[in-house]
Every structure is written in C-alpha cells, then in structure tokens.
Amino acid sequence: MKNPVTPFDDPKARFAAGLFGMWLLLIMLGVLFVSAILGYVAVRIDNGAEFIPANAPPLPLLLLLSTALLMVSSFTMQRALVAGRAGEASQGRWMVATLGLALGFLLTQWLAWRVLVGQQIGPSDNLYAWTFFVLTALHGAHVVGGLVPLAITTAHARRLEYTPSNYRGVAYCAMYWHFLGGAWLVLYATLWIGSRH
Amino acid sequence: MTTLDTRPITPPVTDNYLTFRRGFLSWAFTLDHKRIGVMYLVAVLSSFFVGGVMALLVRTKLLFPGEVSWMSNEEYNKAFTLHGAVMVFLVIIPSVPAALGNFVLPIMLGAKDVAFPRLNLFSFYLWVLGAICAVYSLLAGGFDTGWTFYTPYSSQSEAGGIIPVLIGVFILGFSSIFTGLNFIVTIHKLRPPGMTWFRMPLFLWAVYATAIIQVLATPVLGITVALLVVERAFQIGIFDASMGGDPVLFQHFFWFYSHPAVYIMVLPGMGIISEIIAVHSHRHIFGFRFIAFSSIAIAIFSFLVWGHHMFTSGQSPLMNVLFSAITFSVAIPSAVKVFNWLATLYKGSISLNTTMFYGLSFLFLFTIGGLTGIPLAVISTDIHLHDTYFVVAHFHYVMMGSALIAMIGGLHHWWPKMTGVMFSEFWGKIACAMVFVGFNLCFFTQFMLGSQGMPRRYYLYQPEFKMYHHISTGGSYIMGLGFLITAIYLIHSLFAGKKAPANPWGGASLEWQCSSPPPHDNFATTPRVGDCYDFSAVHWDESTQGYVVDAEAHIAAAHSGKGH
Ligand code: HEM
Ligand SMILES: [Cu+2]
C-alpha cells in the first residue's frame, strides 16, 4: 500500500532532512559508544593494575592490520561519494573496494579473537578479556549491520545510479562509514591504553 | 459591506483518513502518521489495561498483611515488576509522543506527514516487537527485579524471563529513539512559512524537548541493558562486584537514562496541558516564551541530576551534595510552567468540560508530585524516605497523576479530531472525578505510609499500616472503575457519538482548521499560520455547532501583533 503523500515536495529539502536525520542518528550512536567506553574506563580505573591478569597477552598485532583496512575503506568510501556526486563511472569500483575492505576488516577482527582464544583468553575468563571481546563485538556488530546499506549502495553504484542530482544513498552511507572508522580509532586507542600496566 | 469569510481552510471533504482505504493491509502497511498514531494509541491503551490489572492485583494482595494463598511471594514480586515495566516502557514513554504526537504533530505544522514516514512505521513495529519480547518473557518465567533491573538481582535472579524482557526494553528504546529523531527533523524542516519557533504550538515545543532527550539519553539505556544481557548470559560483566565490576556503575547508567526519561514522560504531558488550558479557557496562553524555554531548560537539567536516585548507594558525599543542589534547580522551570498556566486560567472564560477537568487535575496532582520531590532531593530526609512508599507516592503523582492524566486529557481534547465523534461529557466528568478521587485516596495515603517507614516492594507489613493500605487499595478500585467507565463511553461514542465539528472547543492551531477526522493528506495546500493562541478570530457557528477560525483576520492579527 503505497503512501501517495510525501512530506517533501522539493527533493533538495528532502535531502537536507535526510542529512540532518543522519547526523542525529550518528550522535545517538556516538552516545552509545561513549557510554560503553566509559563503562570500561570506570572498571579499568577502579581496579588499577590488577585489572590485567598476570598471564594476559598484549593486544593482538592483527588489530593494527584491521585498523589499516578500516581506514583505507573510509578513503575508498569517500572516493565513491565524490564519484557518485559527480556522476562518474568510478563510483561502482570504489564501492566494491569499500565493501571488500569492510569484509577484510571483519575477517581480521575475527582472526584477532581467534588468536586470543588460542592463548587461553576467552570472553568469560576475566573482566579484562570480557571488556575486550564485548567492546570489539559492539563495534563489529555495527560494521556487520553496515554491510547491508553498503551492499545496497554498491549495487546502485555499479549501475551508476548516483548522479549530481541524486546521490543521497551514497552520501548517507559515507557518513555512517566514516563514523564507524572514527569510533574504532577511539575504541582501539582506549583499549590500547587500558592494556598497559 | 463585507461578509465574514468563515470557510475552513480545507473544504468539507467526504473522504477522511479512516475511510481513505480499507482493509487490514491498508493499516498494517500504512505510512500515514495519523493511522500510525491510532495504532500506537490502541497498543498503548491495551498495555495500560494489562499494567492496570497487575496494579489492582498488587493492591488487592496488600489488603492482607501476611501471605495469601492465591499469590505467592515470588508471584507478588513478578506482578509489581511487570506492572512497573509495562507502565514505564510500554505505556507512558510512547503514550504522548508516539500515539498523540504522531497524530497531531504534522497537522499542527500544516505538513502532510512526518519527515520520514517509513521510519515512523518501523518505530511502530519495533514497539510491537518489544512488546512481544515482554510477553514472551512471561511465558519464560517472568521477571522479579523491579522495573529498575538493579544488579545483582538482574544478573542472578532465578526468574527465567529476564533476558527476553531486557531485549524487549532494548528494542523499545530504539522505537523511542527513532520517533524522537523523526520529530526533531520534522519540526526543523517541515514548519510552514510563517511559523517561526515562537509561533509554534507549545505542545510541539514540549515534544521537541522530549525528542532531544529521547535521542540523547535512550542509547545509554540501550547499551546498559545490552551489557546486562551479556553479563547474565556469561555470568561475568562490568556490573559484577565479585569479578572486579561495579553494581553502582549500573545504577549510574540506569539513572543517567531513567531520570531524563521521567521527563520523556512528563514533558509531552505538560505540552498537552498548555494546549488544554489555553483552548478551554479561550485565553491567550500567558508567558509563551517562559513555557517554551522552560521545556528546553528541563530537558537540559534532566541530564544533570541522575545521582539523586543514589544518595544511599554509597556515592561520595561531594557528589551527593552536587546532585542534591542541581535537583532543586529543576523545580524552577517546572514551577515557571505551573505559574504561567495559572495565570492563563486567571480571568479566562473557562469551559468546565471533561478535558478541562483533566487539565485542572493535572495542575493539582503535578503540584503535589513536584513538591514531594523536594524532601527526596534533600539528602538528610531522603535517607529516611528512600525506598519507602513515599517514593512510590511521589512518582505516581508525577507519572500517573501528571503524565498519564495529561495523556487522557489530550485523548479527550483530540478525540473529536481523531475519530470524528463527540464523547459523553456527562460520563466524562463523572469518570474524571472518580479517577481524581480514587487516585488521591490511593496515593496520598502512601505518603503517610512511607514517612512512617513502610518500605516499598514488600508483601508483608506491620499491622499498624493496615488502615492506610486498605484506603489505598479502595482508592485503586475507584480509580479502576473510573478508567473502565472512560473506556466504555469512549468506545460507545465511536458507534453512537454525535458527529464532531471541525473545531468543537474553539482552538486556533492548525489541527482545528482541517476537518474532523482529517483527510488523508491533512491540507490541500500548505496553510498559512497566525498566532495559535490568539482566539480573537475564533467564532461560534450555529450551523455546524462548532467554532470557525476566520483565517484572514487570524493571520492579520498575528501580523499586527494583536493578541499578544
Ligand atoms: C519537580 C521536581 C522533582 C524532584 C525534585 C524530584 C526528586 C526525586 C528524587 C530525589 C527521587 C529519588 C528518591 C529516592 O529514591 O529516594 C525521585 C524519585 C522518582 N521520581 Fe522524582 N522528582 C521530581 C519530579 C519528577 C517527575 C516530573 C517525574 C516523572 C514524571 C519523577 C519521577 C520519579 C520516579 C519514577 C522516581 C522513582 C524511581 C524508582 O526508584 O523506582 N519525578 N524524585
Ligand atoms: Cu530522578
């Protein structure tokens, strides 16, 4: 049952409203991530150095690789946006690259988890490990959720559907993607500082 | 000689949003904000019925100071927890914004819909999903932690339904967030030409302030219950003291959301009261800017006072003092509103109808509710009153006596608009009076109980409390009957009610200038707006038995500054 009524007559006004809505969404998600991180910081500070068990390994080096992948994916996402806004043919390629890098990021995160579990540190062993797994899972869940809009945008971009007069989809997608990159940097930095005695 | 142009903005229509399309699917997949509002309304009122039955069960148990055969102590714990959780998460939080707000907000703006109609429908289905989780949790064994889900109860209780209900709360939280987000964008981007912020109805100011809280505070609840689910599932987490976690951290997180949430509940109610008081006393609202800004001030302050729920939880004395001091300051914007409403009533030509009965009830009950917050905000007295029936009485005066009464008032105010029929004023007044009397009997006694030391959430009590508990339960029955009568005459009006005119009360905001019920697309053309509290151009019209707004004069008055 389609709604014959659209609230906006003017596509420009509709785009402006969409961007505004995206900002609110990202602010909301920002509050969510910040509270999760603050919860970690609170128990980390409460417990002092005892928080880190004697046998705990350092953070897996693989995280550096996943960070790099995510940063590059932000770059390719931005290129896709620029190409979409100009209606250029490269929009499809840049989106495919972004999607691939996103999958690569998830794969490296998974491998990093495997490394920890291999070192006998699982999520229910101690609070140090629990916080690591839960916070990375929280971020990872947002990346997994982001795969859906990313895949849809990629499909549109491959059909070169983004034009200077309508590139809403790729614009919203880019906002979300850069947010996830920023959130990961903050999260990773916090976890790294927290992992030091 | 010029004749008065009394034509309504939209010509009389034969088709309205209810008849626009028919059939189940036309409702289930509707993107029309009015239909979504109506679906929310039905959902919220059904939940109110469930929560109300639970409340009556709890009160009935409390007729007896000892154990009873028909309700075990565990069942008692589950009953009051279910009551609280249903009333907070399924009823009061969505009631005004999602149900009434959805219906009126775009019409008040002269818009065709909210900014994101699909997101709006999605929010509704999230609500449904959350409600399903809550129902499922009952089948899985219920939950007995109190609506506050404090750890370690919630991480260790043996009740089987805790994880499902927490998931439900998580989902309901996102329903609320998306509604808030939608409304913020709608108010920013869809105001019609001429409607500056200071021409915007106060209901919308209140909904706007509420929406800010919904978007900024609810994610904290979301992450808190999510972490709690993980903690319960893995039996380890940051709220678990035995593993180096901190249960007080849970309380900080919970109240960082839930104190602002009490304003998610009451601010929209206050917005309704501003509309009711102005329209039904036919007088320009007094102190528009004060009321408008006090909504924003309340929204901001509400983020800074959560610690007043934790004076006895081992917070540092410095924090206690700070939270106590800031809490006092919240009383200021609340009082500003009350004084401005009183000033509006003063010398107004008050129509003492059912809606106004609810408006006046609100003023009385909110005053008591707000004032009794003060002894709770004083650290020394709170140590005595914390976790007693005094707190229960306080928050019922503000959540039920204020937020819910305002919602029912708003339901009556907009009932003719939503349904196209008038309800029985006679039964309306009787029912409102019963609710008012029953409410005070039920909850005023609880101030006495609490100050004499009756703890909350106990199924047992000392014999000397028996009289108060009996009066309280008696009051709850009167109140229940009042609500039952309300349900009956409202439903009856749907079938036998007199046809409602476009503007039965004499309102001047835009929703009174489209037909009752409104057409599918609200307005044929974007309407021009005047001052929505200027009633000088509103006239009684014998032929339609309703009021009409003389649009030209109304707008001209706004431009000449008349009516201020
Ligand atoms: C106007 C000024 C208000 C003040 C100064 C105030 C103060 C307080 C304080 C200090 C407490 C904690 C008492 C304790 O647990 O020992 C409290 C509890 C509560 N207040 Fe208020 N309050 C005010 C208004 C409101 C409003 C408007 C609402 C809701 C619409 C509200 C809802 C609640 C609830 C739900 C609780 C108890 C929650 C629980 O423990 O289950 N209050 N109030
Ligand atoms: Cu509070």
Side-chain angles (χ1 to χ4, degrees):
Chain A
M1 194 85 7
K2 259 200 81 192
N3 201 30
V5 169
T6 43
F8 296 100
D9 305 326
D10 172 12
K12 275 217 191 74
R14 181 169 174 208
F15 189 30
L19 289 178
F20 185 31
M22 277 304 293
W23 272 110
L24 291 175
L25 182 79
L26 297 184
I27 291 172
M28 184 278 285
L29 287 178
V31 173
L32 194 135
F33 274 98
V34 167
S35 352
I37 291 174
L38 281 180
Y40 165 73
V41 170
V43 286
R44 175 69 183 83
I45 292 178
D46 266 4
N47 288 280
E50 276 169 37
F51 189 71
I52 302 161
N55 64 342
L59 291 187
L61 283 174
L62 271 172
L63 293 182
L64 288 174
L65 176 61
S66 65
T67 309
L69 290 175
L70 197 61
M71 292 306 110
V72 178
S73 79
S74 236
F75 170 77
T76 54
M77 181 76 237
Q78 189 61 24
R79 293 306 302 254
L81 168 62
V82 172
R85 190 161 54 202
E88 282 165 10
S90 59
Q91 53 180 264
R93 281 195 305 279
W94 288 117
M95 277 315 299
V96 172
T98 311
L99 191 58
L101 288 162
L103 291 169
F105 171 80
L106 285 173
L107 182 69
T108 14
Q109 294 292 80
W110 173 252
L111 291 176
W113 279 11
R114 289 284 303 269
V115 168
L116 284 180
V117 175
Q119 290 166 326
Q120 312 300 327
I121 294 273
S124 44
D125 288 332
N126 52 52
L127 215 47
Y128 176 60
W130 188 88
T131 47
F132 176 83
F133 278 96
V134 168
L135 289 176
T136 48
L138 176 72
H139 181 268
H142 284 81
V143 177
V144 172
L147 289 180
V148 178
L150 214 52
I152 295 175
T153 312
T154 307
H156 285 295
R158 279 173 57 95
R159 282 182 253 122
L160 301 188
E161 282 171 11
Y162 296 116
T163 59
S165 61
N166 180 8
Y167 58 100
R168 285 185 288 137
V170 65
Y172 301 152
C173 202
M175 285 177 83
Y176 182 70
W177 206 250
H178 296 326
F179 169 83
L180 285 186
W184 171 250
L185 285 184
V186 175
L187 183 59
Y188 185 35
T190 316
L191 287 172
W192 187 75
I193 296 169
S195 72
R196 297 165 56 88
H197 287 272
Chain B
M1 199 191 117
T2 50
T3 48
L4 215 58
D5 180 5
T6 53
R7 279 172 301 162
I9 291 184
T10 39
V13 275
T14 44
D15 210 20
N16 65 50
Y17 82 99
L18 294 168
T19 56
F20 176 70
R21 281 203 177 115
R22 286 171 195 278
F24 175 77
L25 290 183
S26 78
W27 281 83
F29 292 104
T30 181
L31 297 178
D32 180 351
H33 68 96
K34 298 181 287 303
R35 286 189 167 197
I36 294 175
V38 170
M39 293 196 295
Y40 264 119
L41 191 66
V42 173
V44 161
L45 292 177
S46 319
S47 309
F48 179 58
F49 178 75
V50 174
V53 169
M54 285 297 137
L56 291 177
L57 282 175
V58 167
R59 282 295 350 149
T60 307
K61 158 68 194 74
L62 289 171
L63 283 175
F64 312 99
E67 309 203 355
V68 293
S69 59
W70 51 272
M71 185 187 253
S72 71
N73 306 334
E74 288 76 29
E75 282 162 358
Y76 174 80
N77 289 348
K78 287 179 182 170
F80 77 68
T81 303
L82 183 64
H83 160 71
V86 166
M87 288 302 197
V88 169
F89 296 112
L90 289 173
V91 180
I92 306 194
I93 288 180
S95 65
V96 179
L100 298 177
N102 246 322
F103 192 94
V104 238
L105 180 139
I107 311 185
M108 274 185 158
L109 290 175
K112 292 189 190 300
D113 211 314
V114 293
F116 309 122
R118 280 187 186 77
L119 185 66
N120 201 17
L121 185 66
F122 180 62
S123 302
F124 174 71
Y125 281 114
L126 282 182
W127 186 97
V128 174
L129 195 60
I132 291 175
C133 289
V135 172
Y136 175 76
S137 79
L138 296 182
L139 305 178
F143 46 106
D144 60 356
T145 58
W147 77 278
T148 45
F149 300 115
Y150 272 20
T151 52
Y153 305 135
S154 49
S155 50
Q156 270 147 38
S157 155
E158 271 156 29
I162 295 182
I163 288 185
V165 77
L166 288 174
I167 294 175
V169 168
F170 180 85
I171 296 172
L172 289 169
F174 279 91
S175 166
S176 168
I177 288 173
F178 291 137
T179 303
L181 189 155
N182 219 336
F183 286 0
I184 294 179
V185 178
T186 308
I187 288 176
H188 272 270
K189 301 288 183 189
L190 283 171
R191 270 175 296 127
M195 188 184 283
T196 59
W197 285 90
F198 294 107
R199 286 245 180 278
M200 189 167 85
L202 287 165
F203 178 62
L204 298 190
W205 272 87
V207 169
Y208 181 75
T210 308
I212 293 176
I213 309 180
Q214 285 175 299
V215 172
L216 291 184
T218 319
V220 181
L221 176 76
I223 191 71
T224 308
V225 297
L227 291 175
L228 187 52
V229 167
V230 180
E231 167 155 350
R232 194 173 158 81
F234 286 83
Q235 284 301 308
I236 163 172
I238 57 169
F239 305 131
D240 178 355
S242 66
M243 306 289 283
D246 185 357
V248 177
L249 185 65
F250 177 86
Q251 299 184 18
H252 277 292
F253 271 157
F254 183 82
W255 290 115
F256 185 83
Y257 166 72
S258 292
H259 182 82
V262 306
Y263 287 101
I264 296 181
M265 307 176 204
V266 85
L267 267 175
M270 292 169 156
I272 292 181
I273 294 305
S274 298
E275 300 301 321
I276 290 183
I277 299 255
V279 171
H280 296 265
S281 60
H282 307 275
R283 182 151 186 271
H284 195 286
I285 191 92
F286 188 85
F288 181 99
R289 281 173 195 240
F290 281 100
I291 299 185
F293 280 127
S294 63
S295 292
I296 305 294
I298 286 176
I300 294 169
F301 275 125
S302 74
F303 282 100
L304 306 174
V305 301
W306 78 91
H308 65 211
H309 295 274
M310 300 165 60
F311 289 149
T312 62
S313 304
Q315 227 172 201
S316 78
L318 174 68
M319 292 293 263
N320 278 355
V321 171
L322 289 177
F323 277 124
S324 172
I326 308 173
T327 301
F328 293 145
S329 50
V330 183
I332 299 171
S334 312
V336 164
K337 283 183 190 281
V338 172
F339 290 128
N340 281 296
W341 290 323
L342 291 178
T344 308
L345 285 172
Y346 179 69
K347 288 197 175 159
S349 57
I350 300 174
S351 308
L352 258 189
N353 53 24
T354 309
T355 313
M356 195 51 143
F357 267 42
Y358 279 102
L360 297 177
S361 302
F362 173 97
L363 286 184
F364 185 83
L365 300 175
F366 180 67
T367 305
I368 296 182
L371 287 177
T372 53
I374 293 176
L376 294 175
V378 178
I379 302 167
S380 52
T381 41
D382 184 61
I383 290 177
H384 176 64
L385 297 171
H386 176 68
D387 266 352
T388 68
Y389 262 77
F390 193 94
V391 175
V392 178
H394 157 70
F395 71 68
H396 278 89
Y397 267 83
V398 275
M399 303 196 354
M400 180 171 194
S402 314
L404 194 96
I405 288 293
M407 140 85 181
I408 309 272
L411 183 63
H412 285 80
H413 186 60
W414 286 305
W415 184 261
K417 185 55 59 185
M418 300 175 90
T419 62
V421 291
M422 304 297 288
F423 53 85
S424 156
E425 283 290 340
F426 174 77
W427 286 107
K429 286 184 204 168
I430 289 186
C432 180
M434 285 176 69
V435 169
F436 182 81
V437 171
F439 179 88
N440 283 297
L441 284 176
C442 182
F443 291 111
F444 204 83
T445 41
Q446 296 185 3
F447 286 124
M448 265 80 106
L449 279 170
S451 48
Q452 293 172 22
M454 169 81 208
R456 68 191 283 196
R457 294 178 174 165
Y458 277 35
Y459 68 91
L460 266 180
Y461 55 83
Q462 301 294 319
E464 64 260 34
F465 292 137
K466 201 166 173 179
M467 182 189 76
Y468 288 133
H469 271 302
H470 281 193
I471 299 177
S472 182
T473 302
S476 73
Y477 293 157
I478 299 178
M479 204 170 18
L481 198 59
F483 283 123
L484 190 67
I485 295 176
T486 310
I488 293 174
Y489 72 72
L490 285 182
I491 293 174
H492 179 256
S493 77
L494 291 178
F495 300 102
K498 208 168 78 200
K499 210 181 141 352
N503 189 353
W505 318 124
S509 43
L510 287 176
E511 82 271 30
W512 303 113
Q513 300 180 42
C514 67
S515 53
S516 299
H520 175 66
D521 56 356
N522 302 343
F523 298 96
T525 54
T526 307
R528 292 191 300 146
V529 287
D531 174 351
C532 56
Y533 296 111
D534 169 18
F535 301 106
S536 60
V538 182
H539 307 283
W540 176 253
D541 174 41
E542 246 343 288
S543 66
T544 56
Q545 286 294 303
Y547 291 84
V548 278
V549 183
D550 176 358
E552 292 305 320
H554 186 61
I555 289 157
H559 288 295
S560 68
K562 218 179 81 186
H564 262 287

